[in-house]
């Protein structure tokens, strides 16, 4: 009713969903409890014991009655009780769409027939999308596995191991290589030593005195 | 005869007395008595060391030729400690068959070189300086070649001789140019006359180069590796610490006193030499497997650090230098002590032989480890403090770039010092060096080194005293 | 002499007391437990006394100070003192040292040497947190460096020599930058008036000229940042943590990486706030990258320890990120994150060590269904995982929340975008944590040998329970810690 007052489109969507709810609920009801016993059951189905049925009966009774509780007296957005009343036009509309939903479900599922398959064939793409839950899960998995794990994480780990670590290793390899390459300078020949000594002195003298 | 001039030279006199006693004992004693030259030598030298620590007068004598300031006296004291440690450590080697018969000569030669170093340090005139330098170098060659029937030792001795003479010649040429420019050899007169003329600069460079040889700075360092490797381990220890320390101090004193006006020039020279010395020393040390050669290159790199604070030119720099030399003596003596002990017992000096040393000889391994950490500058050993003070002295003059490069080089040096630690503690070995114990002298010297390394950083009094007695530009 | 020095003296005594133990396991364990327990008690006493002093109205910046002139020529003092942040860090260290001792109950071979190096490491850590003098701080930092090499190299697993050498050399590189920064600070403080000092409080009062700050702030920040796992200097961390033995990983990830964050705050930001404001954008970028980079990197890893190591990179990056936001709330969050992450990662590494000790594999592909085999360890692992992804009720949520609230207080685009990016890392954390939990704890047992494994022994349970209690208590009642921290931040003049 709040939606009817506020925005007709939302009301329309909600109205349609109410009908759908009735439809799928009774589809389930008929598929499970009516029709022929086709399957082989591992465990022969039997009536539930009392400790299960009693709570169910209790809850079912409550469901029937709770709708009549005037919630407005107890719960409201500003704490002040306000009176709610039944707007008969909207109420009858919603009961109507519910009954229509039940009827359609009864026609399609009360007895085993080929109507559901024909409907599914008629709206094949929509059926497929619904069956695959609109591929939401695949979408999320794609983001996680393909994007985050493969496209981001793998390169990051590779980058860390090979580029950054590699840079540090490169520094050490470089030091080692330079060290190895200049090894020959220490030749063991005194003539080389004297020559280096002399050259060193001359370089310093030239740099200091002449420049 | 006026002997008052000699009264100032207390340390030299005392050393001469010890020298004469030992040489006479060696010549005249009977075969049986000759065995006791080790304890007698050590005791006499200990007495000399203690005597030198006693307060004495300062001043100049021989009309300024000989200088005995506080700094000079204390650097000689520090060197004495090092020599004492070395003499104690050499007991094992000197008792061996090969050199046992001439052990007296070893003492005599050592003391003679030390005398030369004293003169070098205390000189106030270039002639006395040169006399000291030669007295320190020539018997050193005999010490290096002490095991003359071993190829290594003889080759090392010959190499040392040739290169030392070569550098000496260059130094003398520089001195002659200096005389030609200034007309005097006395430091005090030269300080007043010194001008940065081309001739003077060239003279300074040639003179400095001669000393750079002794300190093993690049590119004058090539003799270091071969000589350190070939010489007997204890002689290497002596060369790497005492000889280097004396030369560093002499260089520092002369640069500060005589060449003060050319500070800009020698500052620039030293900047570049420090850079290549530290770097090249580290790069070569990484490759070494022979521990003596390894320590040779490590000491080249250390020389770079020592000169870093010389370059600063301040009293703070001098204090940091002397302190660094002290800590360096302890570290190197500890390291060489361990190497010498193992070499005497097993003849092994390769790093691979040291694998798994901790399992069999834990105490030796720990001493070596602490020595390595001290050389690398890791607290709580004293090496950290000495390195930090050197960096502070250099940074005080704004040399942040060079300090930064030196700090980065500490990383490389830590790598190769850790290689030794890794070998001893981490790498396993099928046949590690067996457990053995060394003689009392070696144990005592290693314990003294250990105590020095661990405690020296925390006792601030020494550094404070050094700061008080230092002088700058 | 302040009682704070006991934090350094007790581990030193431990070190000495280990020497006569020889190989007597009982004696070694006794000394270790006694020392660790003493330190734990001492840290609680310190916290209590600190809070008492503060509520008595003592608003001095540092309490329980003690100052001994060490090297007058260089103005070096042995100076100690604590404020709220230091107290929090001391608590963290004591708890982790205590639990680490129990986690290494069966260390073999050479247990005595292991504990000796461990004590040396703790000397460095404690000393760092109580120092007020920059030289002493650097000294203790370096003391904490070298034992890592031996601890990993001798008692580690996998590529231990490589990891140990890489860790040591990279951290040494960081200390090179740091020493240069410290020297720079020392010389710039005294540049104008000759009043050189290494004392942090005096430097903060006097201030440093802005030109010097511009050079030395990046140097100091990078120096400490290497230890705080700032991108791209973080690569020592994955290999180092993976190869280290359990207690060493606990201490390293739990405490040593916090040395980086603490140093960044105390030295880089507090002493050079103007440069921090100017240059924060550079480092915000780097630390922001660390946060998500570590998280994305963790997704890919197959080895439990590597996952945790990358996770530590991410969380420690968050600490630096928050410090750089330069406001009170974010910094409170940063210190709380240091505390929370320290406990959490110690718990993780302890559990991984215990699982590894039983299954002899750390590869998540080879493990499964451990919940039925080792329920205690599995549940603890789940709790640790939930703390890591920031479940309310555990400490991770409190610290992350504080950080993000503080970061979002900046109104400009740059800070806000980075905050949003950092917040998204929470989701990624959830991904890799829950994935691992699901893979190794639930599902079917992968290896039939695993079906016969034992659950935790009493000493392992003790370690785990202590850590979980601490994490939960901070999560449920954080004001105890946050007041401690915040009290010391309001008086700082750097905002």
């Amino acid at each position: 009713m709040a939606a009817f007052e506020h925005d007709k489109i939302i009301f329309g969507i909600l109205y349609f969903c109410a009908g759908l709810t009735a439809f799928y609920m009774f589809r389930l009801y008929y598929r499970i409890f009516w029709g022929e016993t086709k399957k082989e059951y591992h465990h022969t189905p039997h009536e539930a014991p009392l400790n299960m049925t009693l709570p169910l009966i209790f809850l079912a009774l409550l469901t029937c009655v709770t709708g009549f509780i005037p919630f407005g007296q107890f719960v409201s957005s500003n704490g002040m009780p306000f009176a709610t009343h039944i707007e008969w036009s909207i109420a009858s509309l919603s009961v109507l769409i519910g009954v229509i939903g039940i009827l359609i479900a009864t026609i399609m599922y009360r007895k085993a027939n080929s109507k559901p398959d024909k409907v599914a064939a008629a709206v094949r793409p929509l059926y497929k999308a619904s069956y695959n839950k609109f591929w939401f899960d695949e979408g999320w998995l794609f983001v996680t596995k393909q994007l985050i794990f493969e496209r981001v994480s793998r390169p990051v780990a590779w980058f860390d191991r090979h580029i950054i670590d590699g840079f540090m290793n490169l520094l050490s390899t470089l030091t080692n290589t330079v060290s190895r390459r200049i090894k020959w300078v220490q030749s063991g020949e005194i003539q080389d030593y004297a020559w280096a000594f002399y050259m060193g002195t001359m370089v310093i003298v030239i740099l200091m005195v002449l420049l | 005869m006026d002997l008052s001039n000699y009264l100032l030279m207390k340390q030299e006199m005392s050393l001469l007395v010890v020298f004469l006693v030992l040489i006479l004992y060696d010549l005249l004693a009977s075969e049986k008595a000759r065995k006791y030259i080790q304890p007698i030598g050590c005791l006499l030298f200990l007495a000399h060391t203690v005597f030198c620590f006693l307060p004495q007068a300062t001043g100049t004598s021989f009309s300024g030729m000989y200088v005995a300031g506080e700094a000079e006296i204390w650097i000689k004291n520090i060197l004495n400690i090092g020599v004492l440690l070395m003499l104690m450590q050499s007991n094992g080697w000197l008792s061996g068959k090969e050199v046992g018969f001439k052990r007296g000569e070893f003492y005599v030669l050592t003391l003679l070189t030390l005398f030369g170093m004293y003169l070098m340090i205390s000189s106030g005139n270039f002639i006395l300086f040169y006399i000291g330098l030669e007295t320190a170098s020539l018997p050193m060659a005999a010490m290096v070649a002490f095991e003359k029937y071993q190829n290594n030792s003889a080759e090392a001795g010959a190499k040392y001789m040739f290169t030392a003479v070569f550098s000496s010649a260059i130094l003398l040429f520089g001195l002659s140019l200096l005389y030609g420019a200034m007309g005097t050899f006395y430091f005090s007169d030269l300080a007043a006359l010194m001008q940065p003329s081309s001739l003077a600069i060239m003279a300074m460079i040639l003179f400095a180069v001669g000393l750079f040889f002794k300190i093993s700075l690049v590119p004058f360092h090539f003799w270091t590796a071969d000589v350190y490797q070939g010489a007997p381990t204890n002689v290497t220890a002596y060369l790497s610490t005492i000889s280097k320390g004396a030369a560093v101090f002499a260089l520092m004193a002369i640069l500060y006193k005589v060449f003060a006006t050319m500070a800009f020039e020698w500052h620039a020279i030293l900047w570049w030499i420090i850079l290549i010395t530290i770097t090249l020393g580290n790069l070569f040390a990484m490759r070494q497997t022979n521990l003596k050669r390894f320590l040779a290159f490590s000491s080249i790199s250390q020389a770079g650090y020592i000169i870093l604070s010389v370059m600063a030119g301040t009293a703070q720099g001098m204090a940091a230098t002397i302190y660094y030399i002290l800590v360096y003596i302890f570290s190197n003596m500890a390291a060489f002590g361990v190497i010498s002990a193992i070499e005497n017992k097993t003849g092994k000096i390769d790093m691979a032989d040291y694998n798994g040393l901790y399992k069999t000889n834990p105490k030796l391994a720990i001493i070596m480890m602490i020595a390595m950490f001290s050389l690398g500058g890791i607290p709580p050993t004293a090496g950290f403090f000495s390195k930090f003070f050197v960096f502070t002295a250099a940074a005080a003059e704004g040399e942040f770039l060079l300090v930064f490069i030196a700090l980065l080089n500490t990383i490389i040096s830590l790598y190769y010092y850790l290689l030794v630690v890794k070998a001893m503690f981490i790498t396993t070995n099928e046949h590690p060096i067996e457990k053995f114990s060394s003689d009392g002298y070696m144990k005592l010297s290693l314990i003294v080194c250990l105590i020095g390394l661990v405690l020296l950083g925390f006792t601030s009094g020494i550094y404070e005293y050094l700061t008080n007695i230092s002088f700058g530009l | 002499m302040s009682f704070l020095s006991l934090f350094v003296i007790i581990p030193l005594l431990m070190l000495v007391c280990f020497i006569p133990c020889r190989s007597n396991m009982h004696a070694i364990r006794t000394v270790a437990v006694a020392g660790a327990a003493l330190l734990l008690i001492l840290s609680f006493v310190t916290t209590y006394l600190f809070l008492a002093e503060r509520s008595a109205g003592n608003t001095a910046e540092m309490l329980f100070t003690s100052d001994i002139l060490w090297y007058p020529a260089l103005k070096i003092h042995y100076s100690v003192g604590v404020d709220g942040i230091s107290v929090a860090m001391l608590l963290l260290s004591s708890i982790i040292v205590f639990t680490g001792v129990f986690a290494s109950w069966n260390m073999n071979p050479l247990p005595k040497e292991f504990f000796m190096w461990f004590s040396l490491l703790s000397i460095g850590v404690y000393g760092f947190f109580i120092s007020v003098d920059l030289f002493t701080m650097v000294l203790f930092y370096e003391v904490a460096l070298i034992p890592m090499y031996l601890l990993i190299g001798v008692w580690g697993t996998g590529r231990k020599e490589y990891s140990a050498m890489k860790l040591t050399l990279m951290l040494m590189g960081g200390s090179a930058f740091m020493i240069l920064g410290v020297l720079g600070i020392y010389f710039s403080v005294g540049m104008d008036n000759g009043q050189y000092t290494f004392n942090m409080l005096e430097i903060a009062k006097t201030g440093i000229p802005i030109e010097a700050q511009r050079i030395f702030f990046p140097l100091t920040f990078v120096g400490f940042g290497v230890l705080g796992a700032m991108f791209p200097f973080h690569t020592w961390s994955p290999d180092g943590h993976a190869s280290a033995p359990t207690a060493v990983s606990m201490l390293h990830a739990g405490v040593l990486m916090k040395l980086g964050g603490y140093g960044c705050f105390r030295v880089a930001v507090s002493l050079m706030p103007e440069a921090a404001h100017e240059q924060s954008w550079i480092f915000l970028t780097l630390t922001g990258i660390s946060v998500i980079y570590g998280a994305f990197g963790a997704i890919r890893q197959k080895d439990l320890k590597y996952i945790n190591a990358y996770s530590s990179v991410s969380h420690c990056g968050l600490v630096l990120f928050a410090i750089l936001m330069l406001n009170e709330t974010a910094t409170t969050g940063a210190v709380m994150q240091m505390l929370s992450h320290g406990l959490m990662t110690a718990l993780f590494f302890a559990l991984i060590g215990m699982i590894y000790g039983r299954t002899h594999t750390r590869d998540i592909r080879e493990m499964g269904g451990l919940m039925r085999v080792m329920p205690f360890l599995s549940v603890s692992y789940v709790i640790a995982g939930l703390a890591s992804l920031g479940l309310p009720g555990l400490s991770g949520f409190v610290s992350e929340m504080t950080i993000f609230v503080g970061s979002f207080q900046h109104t400009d685009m740059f800070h806000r975008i980075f905050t949003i990016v950092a917040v998204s890392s929470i989701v990624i954390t959830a991904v890799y944590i829950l994935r691992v939990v699901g893979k190794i704890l639930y599902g079917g047992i992968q290896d039939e040998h695993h079906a016969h494994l034992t659950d935790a022994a009493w000493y392992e349970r003790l370690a785990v329970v202590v850590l979980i209690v601490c994490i939960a208590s901070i999560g449920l009642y954080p004001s105890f810690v946050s007041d401690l921290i915040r009290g010391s931040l309001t008086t700082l003049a750097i905002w």
Side-chain angles (χ1 to χ4, degrees), chain A residues 26-100:
Chain A
F26 268 82
R27 170 175 172 266
L28 267 185
Y29 170 67
Y30 285 123
R31 287 292 288 269
I32 296 175
F33 294 108
W34 295 84
E36 288 124 27
T37 318
K38 321 181 210 158
K39 296 250 193 304
E40 281 296 318
Y41 290 107
H42 281 236
H43 194 83
T44 329
H46 56 84
E47 185 62 83
L50 259 181
N51 57 358
M52 286 172 83
T53 47
L54 274 182
L56 284 174
I57 295 172
F58 178 65
L59 285 170
L61 281 174
L62 273 185
T63 328
C64 297
V65 167
T66 320
F68 293 99
I69 298 179
F71 271 100
Q73 305 284 355
F74 307 112
V75 178
S76 72
S77 59
N78 56 359
M80 307 301 295
F82 70 95
T84 54
H85 57 279
I86 299 181
E87 179 76 39
W88 288 107
S89 54
I90 310 249
S92 51
L93 270 180
S94 59
V95 171
L96 181 64
I97 193 76
V99 167
I100 294 177

Side-chain angles (χ1 to χ4, degrees), chain C residues 204-281:
Chain C
K205 276 208 225 2
T206 327
I208 302 173
I210 184 71
E211 306 79 26
Q213 277 193 34
R214 290 205 182 104
I215 307 174
F216 294 114
F217 175 77
L219 284 174
T220 329
F221 200 87
V222 167
F224 283 109
V226 171
L227 191 52
M230 183 171 75
F231 178 92
F233 307 110
H234 65 281
T235 42
W236 56 268
S237 174
D239 285 314
H241 286 137
S243 302
T246 311
V248 173
S249 291
M250 284 168 75
L251 197 60
H252 196 77
V255 182
L256 256 86
M257 286 174 85
K258 312 301 173 286
L259 255 74
Y262 183 85
C264 278
F265 175 66
R266 270 270 195 265
V267 180
V269 170
S270 299
L271 301 181
M272 297 182 271
E274 288 88 16
H277 274 100
E278 277 179 30
Q279 298 178 354
S280 66
W281 63 273

Side-chain angles (χ1 to χ4, degrees), chain B residues 71 74-75 78 245 248-249 252 302 305-306 309-310 315-331 374 380-393 451-467 469-470, chain C residues 70-71 74 76 135 139:
Chain B
W74 276 90
I75 191 79
I78 291 174
V248 165
F249 185 84
M252 186 163 59
Q302 297 285 331
Y305 286 102
I306 299 179
S309 57
V310 168
Q316 195 182 14
M318 181 181 272
T321 311
I322 302 180
Y323 188 73
Y324 197 96
I325 293 176
L326 177 64
V327 172
Y328 178 65
I329 286 179
F330 279 119
S331 332
S374 175
T381 62
F384 170 75
F385 292 89
S386 60
K387 270 222 166 83
F388 191 87
F389 295 153
V390 162
F391 290 141
T392 315
I451 295 176
L453 283 177
V454 171
L455 290 183
L456 214 55
F458 294 100
T459 55
S460 57
I462 298 174
Y463 185 76
E464 288 306 306
Y465 184 70
L466 288 173
T467 319
I469 63 175
S470 304
Chain C
W70 198 0
Y71 281 93
L74 292 172
I76 294 177
F135 176 79
L139 175 79

Side-chain angles (χ1 to χ4, degrees), chain B residues 337-414:
Chain B
V338 171
I339 296 177
S340 159
I342 294 181
E343 192 189 8
N344 285 336
K345 200 71 185 180
T346 57
K348 297 189 180 169
I349 42 176
D350 240 42
M351 215 188 284
D353 295 320
Y354 277 58
N355 283 345
L357 190 66
Y358 182 69
K359 296 263 168 27
T360 49
N361 289 302
K363 298 199 191 72
L364 278 178
I366 291 182
I367 293 178
M368 183 60 132
M369 176 186 80
I370 295 185
M372 289 291 118
F373 285 163
S374 175
L375 286 171
I378 305 289
T381 62
F384 170 75
F385 292 89
S386 60
K387 270 222 166 83
F388 191 87
F389 295 153
V390 162
F391 290 141
T392 315
E397 298 303 305
E399 293 293 339
F400 284 105
L401 181 58
L402 197 56
V403 168
F404 185 59
I405 296 175
L407 277 167
L408 288 180
N409 270 302
T410 347
I411 307 175
I412 305 180
S413 70
L414 186 66

Side-chain angles (χ1 to χ4, degrees), chain C residues 7 32 105 312 446:
Chain C
F7 276 111
W105 205 245
S312 291
Q446 296 281 67

Side-chain angles (χ1 to χ4, degrees), chain C residues 88-141:
Chain C
M89 292 292 108
L90 287 172
L91 268 175
L92 174 70
S93 315
S94 323
I95 296 173
I96 294 186
V97 165
F98 184 73
T99 50
V101 164
F102 285 102
S104 333
W105 205 245
N106 285 320
M107 184 55 66
N108 259 316
L110 302 173
K112 177 182 88 169
E113 283 78 1
F114 178 82
F115 281 111
M116 285 174 83
W117 284 112
F118 197 73
S119 320
L120 191 60
L121 191 56
S122 46
I123 293 178
V125 163
Y126 283 120
F128 187 86
F129 286 131
I130 60 175
S131 310
V132 170
D133 180 277
L134 281 174
F135 176 79
T136 330
M137 214 182 214
V138 168
L139 175 79
F140 282 116
Y141 174 96

